[in-house]
Amino acid sequence: METTVEDLKPESGTVVKGPQKNDETITVVDNRTNRVYTIPIVEGAIRATDLRQIQCSLGDPGLMTYDPGYINTAACRSTITYLDGDSGILRYRGYPIEQLAEHSTFLETAYLLLHGELPTSEQSDEWERAIMAHSMTHENIKKFLDGFRYDAHPMGILMSTVAALSTFYPESRNVSDPACRRMQMVRLIGIMPTLAAYAYRHRLSLPYITPDPELGYTKNYMNMLWKRLEPKYVANPVLARALDVLFILHADHEQNCSTSTMRSVGSADADPYSTTAAAIAALSGPLHGGANEEVLRMLEEIDTRDRIPGIIAQVKAGQRKLMGFGHRVYKNYDPRARIIKQVAEKVFEVTGRNPKIDIALELERIALSDEYFISRKLYPNVDFYSGIIYEAMGFTPDQFTVLFGIPRTVGWLAQWDEMHRDPGKKIARPRQIYAGEPHRDFVPIELRGRRDLAA
Ligand code: SDX
């Protein structure tokens, strides 16, 4: 029902109130037409399409929302991960990340993210068996990998190789079949460490190591990375646990850039391998997962404490960003960064202290006392300390984002599967505000560029 502003009885100085209702609504007065609209609020949001009714002339397509970067736009409803950016809260299926990092394993957390509940002992055994059974790749994949230059960036290798898997499993296009989706999800989770390890070994011109399912997910990954001539690889338990915790911390993070890419590409019913390759591409960006590699390069550039003020000055002058700082959602300390700092100390007991941690801690201390960072609520994010641990463990910086992509594959797939289960699923197709040329007629080439004919 439409009422006009004349129907309202505003008292002087009071906010114009629409028809008094006890349900969740907002009342919008369109000052162009004096029309009043009442729009329902559901779960703290209004449907953007409810704004289309707000028109100011016949044929007017109605109001849109303009939100570059989707800063204030919910693109989906999800039950997987909850973030409270102001309080620095992160929960997977309701469980606080701190408790999962302390008590769970990565594969158990992966089960939780995909199924919604922690597994029983039997479910956990079956899950691990299924995942590890898919850690093996086709031999063709090794030939595909050998085609890359020795110095190819591992993220480029991972992205390309995962996309190539869509040609090995053409049946994966049947995305509407839950059983088919599950098969591909298990395959992708199982194969990612193998592809990542092969990319690492390719860089060093070392032979590929065959997966050893008996070792379990994370120790097998370390086996495929670092096994030499010993008959059976034995992972350092402290480093294995540290890597497993880092995998837990990186597993999902609601609608981040790469997950939104996964949902967007997946909404076209593309196969999960091509879709995951797109998510890997998004993650590789230095503003997203690629930041962990950039943080280490920044710390290398700083090198000594006395150079920190100069870097801070460059940041405040807008000449560069402080990599590993800031977040679209967290306007408080990223809870993952807090846990990663604790993991670092445990790793250093085995590997020896990485001196870059002292530079990073001093950089954090100075930044968090500086008005520029305080006023913009810029805190260390998940990428600020993780690379320091990875370097201490023996990874080269170009491997760091791969270490983000392995666990995040679980989050991407959980969100992708949730999208396909949503009866309201629609292909992603945002609108735009057109700001280009009005109608104009074609100009023959012989008349182009002539000033005398310029309109
Ligand atoms: C990840 O979304 C996720 O959940 C991502 C992630 C996940 O788990 O998936 O958490 C993983 O990607 C972590 C973020 C890793 N990226 C970096 O560390 C790169 C450095 N950070 C920034 O580029 C930035 O903070 C972003 C990209 C993370 C967030 O950018 P926003 O939300 O678009 O914020 P913005 O760029 O609009 O910044 C707001 C203000 C600006 O200043 P003003 O123009 O208002 O003066 O803060 C400034 C920015 O210049 N700012 C920074 C800064 N980040 C923001 N200034 C210096 N250094 C920075 N790092």
Side-chain angles (χ1 to χ4, degrees), residues 175 262-271 419-420 425-428:
V175 296
M262 186 84 182
R263 280 181 173 262
S264 182
V265 172
S267 73
D269 284 359
D271 73 82
M419 174 187 69
H420 280 293
K425 168 183 170 289
K426 298 188 80 61
I427 188 169

Side-chain angles (χ1 to χ4, degrees), residues 253 256-257 286-289 291 315 320-328 331 336 372-373 376 378 381-383 404 408:
H253 213 240
N256 57 85
C257 180
L287 296 185
H288 189 13
V315 169
R320 64 191 297 168
K321 292 212 183 296
L322 191 59
M323 299 313 279
F325 259 67
H327 200 278
R328 173 61 58 78
K331 300 311 172 191
R336 301 168 295 176
Y372 176 93
F373 297 90
R376 293 168 176 80
L378 301 177
N381 59 48
V382 68
D383 291 315
F404 195 147
R408 186 52 61 87

Side-chain angles (χ1 to χ4, degrees), residues 31 66 116 128 146 190 268 329 345 380 389 404 434:
N31 294 315
Y66 177 55
E128 177 149 8
D146 289 342
V329 177
E345 294 307 332
I389 298 176
F404 195 147
Y434 179 68

Side-chain angles (χ1 to χ4, degrees), residues 183-367:
M183 181 71 250
Q184 314 316 321
M185 292 194 282
V186 169
R187 269 187 182 133
L188 267 162
I189 296 169
I191 208 168
M192 286 301 264
T194 308
L195 299 180
Y198 284 6
Y200 179 83
R201 303 280 290 200
H202 173 74
R203 183 70 183 272
L204 302 174
S205 300
L206 289 174
Y208 302 130
I209 300 297
T210 303
D212 181 350
E214 285 178 12
L215 292 173
Y217 195 81
T218 304
K219 288 182 179 174
N220 174 51
Y221 174 50
M222 296 166 76
N223 161 55
M224 295 186 292
L225 288 168
W226 292 319
K227 184 175 184 299
R228 288 291 194 268
L229 296 175
E230 67 274 34
K232 182 115 173 145
Y233 178 78
V234 179
N236 177 295
V238 174
L239 300 186
R241 179 59 189 158
L243 200 50
D244 210 56
V245 171
L246 285 160
F247 281 178
I248 290 172
L249 298 175
H250 284 83
D252 190 52
H253 213 240
E254 58 131 279
Q255 306 311 314
N256 57 85
C257 180
S258 53
T259 299
S260 304
T261 302
M262 186 84 182
R263 280 181 173 262
S264 182
V265 172
S267 73
D269 284 359
D271 73 82
Y273 301 98
S274 309
T275 305
T276 301
I280 295 171
L283 186 72
S284 69
L287 296 185
H288 189 13
N292 56 17
E293 178 178 349
E294 296 305 318
V295 168
L296 205 90
R297 299 194 192 292
M298 177 181 72
L299 294 175
E300 279 170 349
E301 178 193 342
I302 294 173
D303 191 27
T304 56
R305 286 175 180 231
D306 61 321
R307 299 186 58 186
I308 291 176
I311 296 290
I312 295 284
Q314 288 175 5
V315 169
K316 291 165 69 175
Q319 294 164 2
R320 64 191 297 168
K321 292 212 183 296
L322 191 59
M323 299 313 279
F325 259 67
H327 200 278
R328 173 61 58 78
V329 177
Y330 289 127
K331 300 311 172 191
N332 198 318
Y333 213 98
D334 185 330
R336 301 168 295 176
R338 209 185 299 281
I339 298 168
I340 290 174
K341 273 167 83 171
Q342 297 160 9
V343 170
E345 294 307 332
K346 293 178 181 150
V347 168
F348 296 155
E349 287 169 15
V350 174
T351 64
R353 190 171 183 77
N354 185 338
K356 291 190 177 73
I357 188 84
D358 298 316
I359 299 285
L361 289 167
E362 179 65 4
L363 190 55
E364 174 189 339
R365 186 191 65 78
I366 295 175

